[in-house]
Amino acid sequence: MTAPAQRIGFLLWPATRAVTLALAEEALRVARRLHADACYELTFLHAEPLADGAWGLPGEAWNGRLEGLQRIFLVADEPVTAVAQPLAGVLKQLVRGGCVIGALSAGVYPLAQLGLLDGYRAAVHWRWQDDFTERYPKVIATSHLFDWDRDRLSACGGLAVLDLLLALLARDHGAELAGAVSEELVVERIREGGERQRIPLQNRLGSSHPKLTQAVLLMEANIEEPLTTDEIAQHVCVSRRQLERIFKQYLNRVPSQYYLELRLNKARQMLMQTSKSIIQIGLSCGFSSGPHFSSAYRNFFGVTPREDRNQRRGGSAFEGGSSVVERG
């Protein structure tokens, strides 16, 4: 006898990429073909109306109701600024009724806005970590591929969406089915949720030189109070000259230059993702003063920190000491 279908809803926000939805849908579709009891009935709904003539993913406009779903995933690929009040009420009611709720990629934003992630672990993409943590301090934001915390599911985005769905299939129908779906989709291995999002450092560097890896890890761990090149060399047990040769050979720059670029890129990420003042960001990235930060930033990116923030955020200015940075 065939098991009754489990109804899973996907609530889509504008700018959701097709690949995010396709990864989840394909895993469930293949499971249905491989296993008679893997009966999933999928519903696709748009959380907001599409602009006239705009291309959109398949699905219907949300009609004011969400009933009969055992699970629902909120799907977005850019942070969502607000959830309409009627939809917020329906989602909260659905959760109170026992529906398991999850978020794919930036879908964690609307879920957190509704308070439905307070006290829960949630996998947040590394690009949004600073912004999300500042906005939602009650959520336990992790750098995991995905999290399954009681009745809350979240995947950071990209291929981690598939990892989460494979975990769902294993929970529902056993590891054998998850393995069969993985093999069908030519997935090299099934990754655990607790694995880290960032690829191994040696892969990012394009080198497996152990001293280089150790040195860069030290730099990444000491952004606010940078170490000197001599201190780094001492920590990794090489001479300063040898460390400089290694960096020049593998990264085509000296350690101090690489370190500066690392700190400036971190500063740029914070500028775009947090509301911290520009001078606060400069100090937290190891710059001794506002003018020092502004000058280094302009020399590297071609614009001042304030200009960069305003251009990328549509011209909105941020208060709190940024004027100090622009001098010098």
Side-chain angles (χ1 to χ4, degrees):
M1 181 178 177
T2 304
Q6 180 173 150
R7 294 193 61 201
I8 299 179
F10 292 89
L11 190 60
L12 316 175
W13 266 265
T16 295
R17 292 192 290 269
V19 66
T20 302
L21 187 61
L23 286 166
E25 182 185 12
E26 184 69 0
L28 297 174
R29 185 190 68 80
V30 172
R32 284 187 303 203
R33 182 167 58 79
L34 296 178
H35 196 297
D37 289 336
C39 299
Y40 296 104
E41 182 182 321
L42 309 183
T43 300
F44 304 97
L45 298 169
H46 293 279
E48 299 176 3
L50 295 172
D52 290 342
W55 179 87
L57 294 171
E60 301 176 355
W62 175 61
N63 62 5
R65 303 176 68 179
L66 288 173
E67 297 175 347
L69 297 175
Q70 283 78 47
R71 290 171 176 147
I72 185 168
F73 288 97
L74 280 55
V75 191
D77 277 308
E78 293 297 333
V80 176
T81 56
V83 181
Q85 192 58 43
L87 177 57
V90 170
L91 285 169
K92 290 179 180 179
Q93 183 178 2
L94 198 64
V95 172
R96 286 195 295 269
C99 179
V100 174
I101 195 165
L104 306 181
S105 193
V108 289
Y109 276 83
L111 205 55
Q113 287 171 28
L114 301 180
L116 295 175
L117 282 177
D118 290 356
Y120 286 85
R121 293 191 316 276
V124 180
H125 195 283
W126 61 266
R127 287 193 299 116
W128 302 315
Q129 281 279 340
D130 290 331
D131 175 60
F132 187 90
T133 302
E134 182 181 52
R135 290 197 201 188
Y136 308 110
K138 293 182 180 179
V139 182
I140 307 168
T142 76
S143 57
H144 298 161
L145 294 176
F146 66 88
D147 277 303
W148 192 322
D149 189 353
R150 291 159 284 173
D151 54 355
R152 301 289 190 273
L153 291 72
S154 56
C156 69
L159 291 177
V161 170
L162 179 57
D163 294 315
L164 174 59
L165 268 293
L166 290 172
L168 183 148
L169 291 172
R171 182 79 62 94
D172 287 355
H173 301 288
E176 187 175 348
L177 176 61
V181 172
S182 175
E183 187 173 23
E184 178 83 9
L185 297 177
V186 199
V187 175
E188 181 183 3
R189 68 183 180 90
I190 298 178
R191 299 184 295 179
E192 298 292 329
E195 294 188 38
R196 299 289 175 177
Q197 296 172 21
R198 303 299 298 274
I199 62 175
L201 180 61
Q202 65 185 47
N203 291 358
R204 282 191 274 142
L205 295 176
S207 163
S208 59
H209 195 293
K211 298 300 182 183
L212 178 63
T213 301
Q214 290 174 34
V216 173
L217 285 172
L218 272 173
M219 292 176 179
E220 291 182 341
N222 293 274
I223 296 293
E224 186 169 355
E225 297 183 6
L227 302 171
T228 66
T229 300
D230 286 329
E231 287 172 330
I232 294 170
Q234 184 178 1
H235 278 296
V236 302
C237 302
V238 296
S239 69
R240 178 192 177 108
R241 181 171 295 181
Q242 185 179 357
L243 184 66
E244 289 175 340
R245 281 201 301 266
I246 293 170
F247 268 79
K248 192 68 176 175
Q249 178 181 350
Y250 289 99
L251 300 179
N252 197 33
R253 67 201 77 184
V254 296
S256 58
Q257 182 183 0
Y258 183 87
Y259 207 172
L260 177 61
E261 292 174 9
L262 193 67
R263 290 158 49 214
L264 287 169
N265 281 310
K266 176 64 176 177
R268 188 177 223 183
Q269 180 182 336
M270 294 179 69
L271 279 168
M272 304 310 145
Q273 292 190 4
T274 76
S275 59
K276 290 182 178 179
S277 70
I278 293 174
I279 196 168
Q280 285 176 320
I281 292 171
L283 293 173
S284 68
C285 291
F287 295 93
S288 57
S289 67
H292 179 210
F293 174 46
S294 183
S295 176
Y297 197 97
R298 183 173 56 243
N299 288 339
F300 187 63
F301 291 115
V303 291
T304 66
R306 175 182 286 180
E307 290 168 347
D308 203 9
R309 172 178 263 179
N310 288 348
Q311 288 170 8
R312 288 167 172 260
R313 288 189 166 185
S316 60
F318 281 74
E319 73 286 353
S322 57
S323 59
V324 178
V325 180
E326 300 309 324
R327 296 201 302 267

